[in-house]
Amino acid sequence: MRRAAKVDANQEQIVSALRAAGASVQSLAKIGQGCPDILVAFRRRNHLMEIKNPEGKDAVNGAQAKWHISWCAPVHVVRSADEALRVIGALA
């Protein structure tokens, strides 16, 4: 049995900022197995994001690295709302 999905402490703040900018956000955290934390749609484009704590101490783990490499599109690692907004082009 899989444990409950771990959600980083800053995920709620990042998701709120993305939604305030007009993005749609879907949590993928329950999928696990290295799948990124959120799927974001903004201006008719999709973005996959892996959320990490802002302190920068935690890195992408082995399952995440393998998933990111195997996926045929970018996966962005973000640690703040500003980083996430830059990824989608909502912040210069």
Side-chain angles (χ1 to χ4, degrees):
M1 177 185 254
R2 188 172 158 351
R3 284 191 251 167
K6 178 185 168 267
V7 176
D8 291 283
N10 54 341
Q11 183 164 326
E12 185 177 334
Q13 178 189 16
I14 290 171
V15 168
S16 293
L18 289 165
R19 288 183 174 150
S24 298
V25 181
Q26 177 65 55
S27 175
L28 304 174
K30 290 183 180 181
I31 296 172
Q33 300 177 357
C35 184
D37 293 315
I38 58 174
L39 171 63
V40 182
F42 186 70
R43 296 183 182 153
R44 301 179 57 85
R45 293 188 178 231
N46 290 316
H47 307 272
L48 289 166
M49 296 187 195
E50 182 66 46
I51 298 172
K52 293 296 179 186
N53 286 310
E55 297 85 28
K57 295 177 184 177
D58 54 343
V60 174
N61 67 37
Q64 292 165 340
K66 184 177 177 181
W67 197 100
H68 297 185
I69 290 167
S70 71
W71 195 249
C72 296
V75 177
H76 303 276
V77 177
V78 298
R79 296 181 183 281
S80 69
D82 283 354
E83 284 183 8
L85 291 170
R86 280 189 199 94
V87 166
I88 67 169
L91 187 65

